[in-house]
Amino acid sequence: GTEQQNCVWINRKDVVAPIIKPWKESLLKGFDYKPDNSIQPPDAGVKVVKTDSTTGCIPAFTPLSFGLETNEPSQCKIDYNKPKAGKNAVESQQIFDSMQFFLGGSNLFSYNHTEILSLPGPSAPQNGSPVLQNDETYSLSVRCQDANGNANLQSYVFNFCVDKGPDTTQPLIVTTSILNDSPIAYNQSSVPIDVYV
C-alpha cells in the first residue's frame, strides 16, 4: 500500500541476518562517516562527523541525518541502549523486538534506511525517534531483521557528539507544503503555505 513496494522471496532455508553498511547518500552536506575504533567487537559501526568542524561535532540546534543500507529488504530499529550480543536466533529476535524505535520511523522492509534527528531542546516531546540534546556524546545502536525474521546478533553503532552551543545559526527551511514548480490555482492573490524549518 505504499510507493515502496518490493517483491521479497521468503525462503524458509534463509538463516542469515541482513548485512549492514553505512549509507553515504543519507548524510547531509558537510557530514561524513569515519571509522570508529572505540566500538568493541563483535559490534561494528562508524562515527558521524561534521567535516568543517575542528572537533567533528555536530552544531547544536541543527538537523542530523545518517543511514544504512542492507543487502536484503529489512526492518531496522535504533536505540540509545546498546543491547548485548545475541547468542542465537531466538535471543537476537527478542533483543530486536525490545528495541525502542524503528529507524526513520518506518517498519517497512527496504534496502535503505535513513534516520533524521533534530536538536529541539529538552522540553520537546518525543515522537517516534531518539531526541538529542546539545553538549552531549551519543552512541545509537541499530539492528535489522529480514522478512524471514533473521535479526542481527550484533549491533551496528553510530557515534557522534553535539556542540555545546549557543544557538547562533539561522533557521533552515527544510521544505514547504507547496513544492517547487507545483501549480496553484489561476488568478490567486494569496495562498496558504506551511514552511517547515
Side-chain angles (χ1 to χ4, degrees):
T2 73
E3 294 178 5
Q4 301 177 12
Q5 295 181 29
N6 281 327
C7 181
V8 179
W9 181 33
I10 300 179
N11 179 0
R12 288 180 293 181
K13 296 179 183 178
D14 175 14
V15 294
V16 180
I19 297 171
I20 298 172
K21 295 189 319 186
W23 187 33
K24 211 144 170 111
E25 287 79 10
S26 65
L27 292 170
L28 297 172
K29 185 178 179 183
F31 289 85
D32 201 1
Y33 296 121
K34 298 288 182 199
D36 193 342
N37 297 330
S38 69
I39 299 169
Q40 299 294 317
D43 294 333
V46 292
K47 187 169 190 172
V48 182
V49 295
K50 181 83 168 107
T51 53
D52 61 357
S53 167
T54 56
T55 63
C57 291
I58 295 146
F61 310 102
T62 59
L64 169 65
S65 174
F66 59 90
L68 56 87
E69 55 185 337
T70 55
N71 65 328
E72 59 182 321
S74 309
Q75 289 179 320
C76 296
K77 283 188 164 182
I78 188 168
D79 208 328
Y80 294 108
N81 303 317
K82 185 178 133 232
K84 63 182 180 175
K87 294 178 183 158
N88 55 50
V90 172
E91 191 173 290
S92 293
Q93 181 64 50
Q94 291 169 343
I95 292 168
F96 179 84
D97 290 342
S98 72
M99 293 179 75
Q100 200 168 2
F101 307 103
F102 278 102
L103 192 66
S106 172
N107 66 349
L108 296 178
F109 289 90
S110 61
Y111 289 96
N112 300 324
H113 303 267
T114 301
E115 182 71 40
I116 300 174
L117 302 172
S118 60
L119 296 122
S123 61
Q126 197 167 342
N127 60 353
S129 65
V131 173
L132 304 180
Q133 315 256 339
N134 57 320
D135 197 22
E136 294 282 341
T137 300
Y138 290 92
S139 185
L140 297 176
S141 297
V142 175
R143 292 200 182 188
C144 300
Q145 79 170 359
D146 63 18
N148 294 306
N150 300 312
N152 297 114
L153 294 172
Q154 302 86 16
S155 294
Y156 196 89
V157 181
F158 289 93
N159 286 332
F160 55 91
C161 56
V162 181
D163 281 336
K164 184 174 184 178
D167 182 8
T168 59
T169 60
Q170 313 107 344
L172 173 67
I173 296 174
V174 177
T175 190
T176 61
S177 59
I178 300 175
L179 302 177
N180 286 346
D181 299 324
S182 293
I184 59 171
Y186 176 73
N187 206 17
Q188 290 286 320
S189 60
S190 66
V191 63
I193 185 171
D194 293 319
V195 177
Y196 300 92
V197 295

